[in-house]
Amino acid sequence: MADKMALPLLLPNPPPSSKPFFPNHHQTQNASQPPPLPPPPPPPPPPITPILHELLSSPQTQHPSYPRSRTRIGRSRDSNRGKPWSHHRLSSQGQHILDSLINSPFDSSKLDEQLHSLVELHRDEFGSSLDSLSLDVLGIVKGLAFYKKFELAVSVFEWFRNRDDCSYILSGSVVSVVISTLGKMGRVSSAASLFRSLHKDGFNLDVYAYTSLITACASNGRYMEAVSVFKKMEEQGCKPTLITYNVVLNVYGKMGTPWHKIKAIVEGMKSAGIAPDSYTYNTLITCCRRGSLYVEAAEVFEEMKAAGFAPDKVTYNALLDVYGKSRRTKEAMEVLKDMELNGFSPSIVSYNSLISAYARDGLLEEAMALKSQMVERGIKPDVFTYTTLFSGYEKAGKDEAAMRVFEEMRGSGCKPNICTFNALIKMHGNRGKFTEMMNVLEEINACKCTPDIVTWNTLLAVFGQNGMDSEVSGVFREMKRAGFVPERDTFNTLISAYSRCGSFDQAVEVYKSMQEAGITPDLSSYNAVLAALARGGLWEQSEKILAEMKNGRCKPNELTYSSLLHAYANGKEMERLHILAEEIYSAVIEPHAVVLKTLVLVFSKSDLLLETEHAFLELRKKGFSPDITTLNAMLSIYGRRQMVSKASEILRFMNEMGYTPSLTTYNSVMYMYSRSQDFEKSETFLREIMEKGIKPDIISYNTVIFAYCRNGRMRDASRIFSEMGASGISPDVITYNTFVASYAADSLFVEAIDVVRYMIKHGCKPNQNTYNSIVDWYCKHNRQDEGKKFVDNLRELDPHIATGEDSRLLDRIRNKWS
C-alpha cells in the first residue's frame, strides 16, 4: 500500500504538446500598402467553437509584430467606469451607430446596413486611411460590451473580420475586448477558437489578447486551461504584464497550488522587472487561505507594507479569512483592531471571517457574541453568518442549537442558500437520519436552488461516513451524469469515503484517477490519504508521507498530525503514540484543539484510561470546548470499565451544555448497561433511539442481544434478532457468536450447532471464535470427548472450514483443557 500511495505533491506540469502551438501560415498581403476599401462583405457565418485543447495542441510560427497605439486593459484605468459610455475617439457617425445599437430593441437584420454606412463614411472622409475606422470599431465594440450587448459586440467584430482588410481595421485592443466578451458570455471554447484562427490568419496577437484569454478561462472556472495558456504564452516569448501575473496568481490560489510554486511565479515576475502592486499582495494573501498558511500570509502582509503599499479593506478581510480558516482566533482579533485603527470599519465580510474562526475552533459562545456585536453596529447578519454558526453547532453535536440558528435565519427574512442546505444534509446524514436528509433535497428543489459540487461532495462524505460504499459509487455516477466534473475536493472526499468503508483499493484508484485528471494534490489530498492509511493502522507509510510533506512540498497541519495519531493507535504502536503525545503537550507540535481532541479519541479506543483523562484535562486547560465526538470517547472508556458515576457525569454535562446525543453516545451507554445488573436498560435506550428518529445500527442490536443472552433471556434475544432483520440490518458473525456462546454456556449444544448451521445457510461464515466457544464450553462442562467428536465431524457441518482448523481445535482441547 505504501508504494501505491506514494504522493509526490508537486506533480510535474503537463508536458508540452508534441505539435507546435499554431499551424504554419504565411501572410500574403503586403503589410506596407493597405488595400483600398472593398465592397461590404456578406453577413458573417456563425462562429466556430472547437474546444480549447485544440488551441493548446496546434502549431505556431513567429510573426513580426506591428506596433499599435492601444488603450490599457483594466476597469481601474477606464475613464468611463461608473459613467454613461463615452469614447473620445469615436466619430460622430460612430457614436450615432453605437447609440442605435444599444437602443433596445435593435433589429439585427439592419446591422449590415449600419456598418456599411460607417465604412462608406470613412471612405468618403478619409480615403484609404483605416486608422479612424479602426478607432470607431474599437469604440463601438467596447461600448457594446460596456452595455452588456455581448452578442452584438461579437457580431460587429465578425462583420469586420470577414473583410479582406480586417488586419488593418481590427486592432489588438478590439481582439482583447472580444475575447473578454466571449468569456463573460461563458463561451470560452469560442474565445479559444477565435484566438487560434486569428493567429492562423496572420493576425498579431499580443500580451493583452493572451491575458484576456487567460482571464476568460479563469472566470469560467477552467483553471487548468488558464495555466496552460499562460505557459504557452511564455513559450512563445510573449512577456506577461502585471495584470497577467495577477490573474495567474489568482488562478493558482483557486487551484490550491503549493505555496513554493506560487512564490516561483512571483520571483519570476520580479526578475522580469515587474514590481507587485497592492492587488498582487492581496491576491497572495488570499492564496494562503486554502493551505491555512497564516505564517506566509503574515509575511506577505509585512512585505506589502515595506514596499510602500497601505493595506486596504480587501487586504484586512483577506488576512482575516486566512486566520479564520487557520483557526487563529487571537491573531484574527489583532487584525480586526489594526483594521479599525487604520480607519477601516469592519464589514459583514470581516465579521463573517471572525465568526468562522471561532466556530471552527468550537468557541461558539464567542462566535455568537460577535454576531451580537455586529448587529449592535448596524450590520445585519447574512446567509453566510447564519450558515457558519449552524455548521459550528452541527460539528459540535449541538443539533438543537443549530436548528435554532436556522429558524432565526428564516425568521429574520434571510433565505437559506445552497451552502445552508448542504450543512443540513451533512447534519442529518451524519446522524443517520436519511429520511430528513432526503426532505432537505426536496426542499432544495422547492426553493429553486441548484445543487452544486459541494452538495454532491457532501452526499459522498455522508455515505462514506456511514460505510455505505455502494451508495458512494452510485452518487458519484449520478454526479457525473448530472454534468458535474469531479474536482480536487471531490477526489479528496472519495478517497476519504472509500477508506471509511474499508475499500482501500478503491481509494487508491481514486487517487490515480485524480493524477490522470491532471489535478495536483494539495494539503487536503495528503490529509485524505493519511486518514485512509490511519484507518488501516499503516503508520510506517504515514510517516513516509509526513516526511515528504515536511520536505518542502506541503506544510502539515493539525489534521495531518491527527491522522498520524490514529495510525499509531490503530497500528498498536503505543510507544510512538506516547512520544507524539508528549511533543504535543510540550508544544513542539502546536497543541491545537483538533490534535488534543484526537488524543482523547486515540487513548480512549486504546483503552488507556489515565492517558485519556490527561488529554481531556489538557483540552479543557487550553480553553477549548469538547465536541460530541470527544465526549463520546470519554463516555465510551467509562462505559467499558463500568464507571457508571463518571459516565453519568459526562451525560449530565452533555445535557446541560446542549449537546445532541448521537448514535455513538447511545451505543456507549447501551454497552455499559449490557454488562451491568441493569441490563434491561439497554433495550430502553434502543427504544429511545428509535423514538428520536435515529436508525439503530448493527452495534446497537448486537449490544442488546448480548445483554439478554448474557442473562439467559434467550427469547428476548431472539425477539431483538427478529427486529433487527425486519429493520433491514443483516446479522454479522458477532451476532451469531453471541447466541452460540450463550447456548453452549447453558449446555444447549444442539441449539448452538443449529445456530452455526443457520448462519452458514444465510451466508455468514463462522470464524475461529465461533468454534472456540463450542469446544471451550464442552471442556468447561467436562465433556471433552464430546468436544473432540464435534471437531471430528466439523467438516460435515461446515465443508468450507479452513485447512488445519480441525487440528487447531483439537490442539486447543488438548493444551488448554487437559
Side-chain angles (χ1 to χ4, degrees), residues 148-410:
K148 302 190 186 309
K149 301 281 185 178
F150 299 136
E151 293 285 358
L152 267 177
V154 174
S155 296
V156 169
F157 176 84
E158 288 290 350
W159 193 92
F160 281 100
R161 186 186 169 204
N162 281 294
R163 296 177 60 89
D164 292 339
D165 56 356
C166 68
S167 63
Y168 300 95
I169 298 173
L170 300 177
S171 67
S173 297
V174 177
V175 173
S176 298
V177 172
V178 171
I179 288 175
S180 295
T181 299
L182 288 168
K184 290 172 183 175
M185 296 166 68
R187 291 168 57 184
V188 181
S189 295
S190 297
S193 174
L194 171 64
F195 190 97
R196 177 188 172 209
S197 179
L198 285 171
H199 207 292
K200 180 181 178 182
D201 292 343
F203 198 90
N204 176 49
L205 294 168
D206 59 14
V207 61
Y208 300 98
Y210 274 107
T211 302
S212 295
L213 183 55
I214 292 169
T215 305
C217 292
S219 61
N220 286 275
R222 295 165 74 161
Y223 302 130
M224 295 290 291
E225 295 165 23
V227 171
S228 296
V229 175
F230 176 66
K231 291 186 180 301
K232 288 292 181 182
M233 172 186 179
E234 290 186 310
E235 288 172 11
Q236 298 306 314
C238 185
K239 294 184 178 179
T241 65
L242 176 61
I243 295 174
T244 317
Y245 279 116
N246 284 344
V247 173
V248 170
L249 285 170
N250 187 42
V251 167
Y252 273 8
K254 289 181 177 177
M255 290 174 66
T257 304
W259 180 245
H260 75 275
K261 199 169 184 180
I262 292 173
K263 282 182 68 177
I265 292 287
V266 178
E267 292 305 315
M269 169 181 165
K270 291 177 180 177
S271 299
I274 299 173
D277 63 1
S278 58
Y279 184 92
T280 315
Y281 287 115
N282 288 345
T283 302
L284 286 171
I285 292 172
T286 304
C287 288
C288 296
R289 173 180 177 272
R290 186 176 182 100
S292 301
L293 304 174
Y294 60 90
V295 174
E296 290 80 356
E299 290 172 354
V300 173
F301 183 69
E302 292 304 319
E303 182 184 329
M304 177 182 186
K305 291 189 290 184
F309 293 101
D312 57 15
K313 184 171 282 191
V314 175
T315 315
Y316 283 115
N317 283 337
L319 196 55
L320 278 171
D321 198 31
V322 173
Y323 282 130
K325 297 298 181 293
S326 306
R327 299 182 170 97
R328 310 294 297 191
T329 52
K330 182 180 177 182
E331 291 90 338
M333 289 303 297
E334 288 173 359
V335 170
L336 185 69
K337 291 175 185 176
D338 189 35
M339 181 179 182
E340 292 186 285
L341 285 173
N342 284 282
F344 296 103
S345 298
S347 64
I348 183 69
V349 176
S350 315
Y351 274 108
N352 282 346
S353 294
L354 279 170
I355 289 170
S356 174
Y358 281 109
R360 282 170 175 268
D361 241 4
L363 302 171
L364 298 168
E365 290 182 10
E366 291 85 346
M368 290 297 287
L370 279 169
K371 181 180 80 78
S372 299
Q373 185 184 117
M374 66 187 280
V375 171
E376 289 169 5
R377 291 191 173 198
I379 302 173
K380 187 177 181 180
D382 62 9
V383 66
F384 299 103
T385 317
Y386 286 116
T387 302
T388 300
L389 289 167
F390 177 93
S391 297
Y393 280 116
E394 180 277 325
K395 186 178 178 183
K398 297 185 175 184
D399 294 6
E400 291 181 7
M403 291 308 297
R404 282 198 298 272
V405 169
F406 182 70
E407 294 305 325
E408 180 186 330
M409 177 178 71
R410 283 194 154 165

Side-chain angles (χ1 to χ4, degrees), residues 39-57:
I48 303 171
T49 59
I51 58 175
L52 184 61
H53 80 261
E54 290 185 42
L55 162 68
L56 301 175
S57 61

Side-chain angles (χ1 to χ4, degrees), residues 445-460:
N445 292 328
C447 292
K448 297 184 178 178
C449 275
T450 303
D452 61 5
I453 189 72
V454 179
T455 314
W456 291 99
N457 289 348
T458 303
L459 289 169
L460 289 170

Side-chain angles (χ1 to χ4, degrees), residues 14-88:
S17 172
S18 58
K19 300 180 182 178
F21 188 35
F22 289 100
N24 290 325
H25 179 76
H26 300 285
Q27 188 172 349
T28 57
Q29 291 183 352
N30 185 349
S32 62
Q33 183 66 38
L37 294 173
I48 303 171
T49 59
I51 58 175
L52 184 61
H53 80 261
E54 290 185 42
L55 162 68
L56 301 175
S57 61
S58 54
Q60 169 170 340
T61 56
Q62 293 290 326
H63 295 274
S65 60
Y66 300 93
R68 296 178 183 272
S69 61
R70 63 174 300 108
T71 303
R72 184 179 177 87
I73 294 176
R75 289 186 300 174
S76 59
R77 301 295 183 93
D78 191 346
S79 60
N80 299 293
R81 189 177 182 189
K83 304 175 184 177
W85 176 260
S86 64
H87 196 290
H88 65 277

Side-chain angles (χ1 to χ4, degrees), residues 607-625:
D607 204 30
L608 300 171
L609 178 62
L610 294 178
E611 289 87 342
T612 305
E613 291 182 325
H614 180 205
F616 189 75
L617 286 173
E618 286 292 323
L619 179 75
R620 302 295 284 155
K621 277 168 55 179
K622 297 286 183 184
F624 298 122
S625 299

